[in-house]
Amino acid sequence: MVAPYLATSSVDPASVGRAAAQFRTATGVDVQIWQDGIGAASHARLFQWDRAGHSTEAYYEALSAALGASGLWADIELFNHGSPLFLDTGNGLSGAYRPASVQRINQQLWSARSAGKRVAWLNQYHMSEVVGPGQGYGESPRLMNTYRGLYGLGASYSVDPVQTTYSYSVAPDANYPDSSGHELFDRRVGDPRNPMDAGWVGVHGNVSITIDLGQRRRVDWIGLHTMTRPAWGIVTPTSVEVMCAEPGTAATSIGVLSAPFTQAGLSGSTEEEYVLGNAAPLAAQCRTLELRLANGSWTFLSEIEMAAEQ
């Protein structure tokens, strides 16, 4: 077995497929594991992203055609993108290797469906109790349980694309609009290397997002997919208050989505994505949720993900 990764989009998929077949002929290695490279590589891209180049889906299809599905495994990187990979300025650790958006992971798995096996590799740095919970271990339950909800594995996904609607207290900027009115639930995650990708919605300053779940629902886990690019004035808010209400009643605070780093600590980042989430289940029953973003900079949002325990 070998494990190259899709680090560049400059080589076309057919050429990669031919090289993989030649390698098998020359070495006798009959199973190749190709990493999708979405977390760490600077050029790997999902099929939905607006940037130029070839998608991981196209590469896996070409590799499968050259090797056969049984000769190809896909190594799916479950962590977020960040440049640099690790950023620690004494204000908490940010960068890559943190739990990612479950919708992003879902798209990565779908893009690799032509492989005979899909192996989900999660770097143990942010899962380890040696460096956690302050450095990321406490973020892992949100990822795991929202994933379980998305796939119906003992939890439920709380976003119904028909019944669930939302509104902003301050409208997104016209240059980074919510063009469909449901972009935060459309399962198209923004490209972490491209603020102009259609998956991002840009708001500035203190903004509240009020979500109508359509009916009273249990909510335990919330993830808010965001971007940081200091050169553009885009910085992930480090906390978001969660309010819960029933029709005709005042909203009450039920928790906070928080990051282990400070906004000052993000200043050394070139670009990164991060999913703000809660570390313990909210155990709330709500018809309406309000997410209160307090940010003196731009906040770029891609997806809101919610799940409930069963």
Side-chain angles (χ1 to χ4, degrees):
M1 297 181 182
V2 295
Y5 68 104
L6 302 171
T8 176
S9 57
S10 62
V11 181
D12 65 276
S15 296
V16 172
R18 286 192 296 271
Q22 291 167 0
F23 180 88
R24 178 174 61 185
T25 300
T27 64
V29 174
D30 57 2
V31 175
Q32 295 183 30
I33 306 177
W34 284 76
Q35 299 178 41
D36 67 352
I38 295 294
S42 59
H43 296 290
R45 63 179 290 269
L46 289 173
F47 62 94
Q48 292 183 326
W49 291 347
D50 292 331
R51 74 167 93 150
H54 305 287
S55 68
T56 57
E57 180 177 37
Y59 283 113
Y60 282 126
E61 287 175 348
L63 286 164
S64 182
L67 301 172
S70 62
L72 173 65
W73 291 16
D75 184 353
I76 308 302
E77 296 182 343
L78 300 187
F79 52 85
N80 71 308
H81 170 75
S83 179
L85 288 178
F86 299 106
L87 176 64
D88 190 352
T89 60
N91 296 298
L93 185 73
S94 70
Y97 294 99
R98 306 198 80 92
S101 157
V102 294
Q103 293 295 353
R104 223 272 300 281
I105 292 169
N106 183 53
Q107 291 175 17
Q108 290 176 243
L109 290 167
W110 174 255
S111 294
R113 65 193 180 280
S114 57
K117 291 185 182 294
R118 289 173 288 184
V119 181
W121 174 71
L122 184 62
N123 181 280
Q124 293 300 297
Y125 187 87
H126 61 71
M127 293 287 288
S128 170
E129 292 186 63
V130 176
V131 294
Q135 300 287 21
Y137 176 79
E139 302 163 309
S140 303
R142 190 278 315 166
L143 172 61
M144 179 185 72
N145 289 295
T146 313
Y147 180 94
R148 289 173 56 229
L150 186 63
Y151 286 94
L153 303 173
S156 60
Y157 201 65
S158 302
V159 177
D160 185 303
V162 176
Q163 294 190 65
T164 310
T165 60
Y166 59 88
S167 60
Y168 301 90
S169 62
V170 179
D173 187 271
N175 293 308
Y176 320 108
D178 187 334
S179 55
S180 66
H182 61 267
E183 282 193 29
L184 300 184
F185 296 151
D186 67 0
R187 306 191 178 192
R188 172 175 176 159
V189 294
D191 180 348
R193 302 191 68 244
N194 180 14
M196 298 306 296
D197 185 90
W200 294 109
V201 176
V203 296
H204 193 274
N206 298 339
V207 179
S208 294
I209 302 172
T210 301
I211 303 166
D212 187 341
L213 299 175
Q215 61 183 5
R216 194 167 186 259
R217 293 178 180 270
R218 181 182 173 103
V219 177
D220 286 303
W221 303 98
I222 301 176
L224 188 60
H225 187 205
T226 67
M227 166 188 267
T228 286
R229 180 171 283 209
W232 285 47
I234 304 169
V235 184
T236 291
T238 52
S239 66
V240 174
E241 187 175 15
V242 182
M243 310 293 290
C244 174
E246 294 293 320
T249 65
T252 58
S253 178
I254 57 171
V256 176
L257 314 181
S258 61
F261 45 81
T262 66
Q263 285 196 321
L266 293 174
S267 61
S269 172
T270 301
E271 59 193 15
E272 64 182 70
E273 61 184 327
Y274 183 71
V275 181
L276 279 160
N278 50 303
L282 297 170
Q285 295 280 349
C286 306
R287 165 64 188 264
T288 301
L289 285 171
E290 182 183 347
L291 306 181
R292 295 182 175 180
L293 287 67
N295 195 351
S297 305
W298 285 97
T299 301
F300 271 42
L301 310 166
S302 176
E303 288 290 305
I304 298 175
E305 305 169 341
M306 297 184 289
E309 301 290 344
Q310 293 180 347

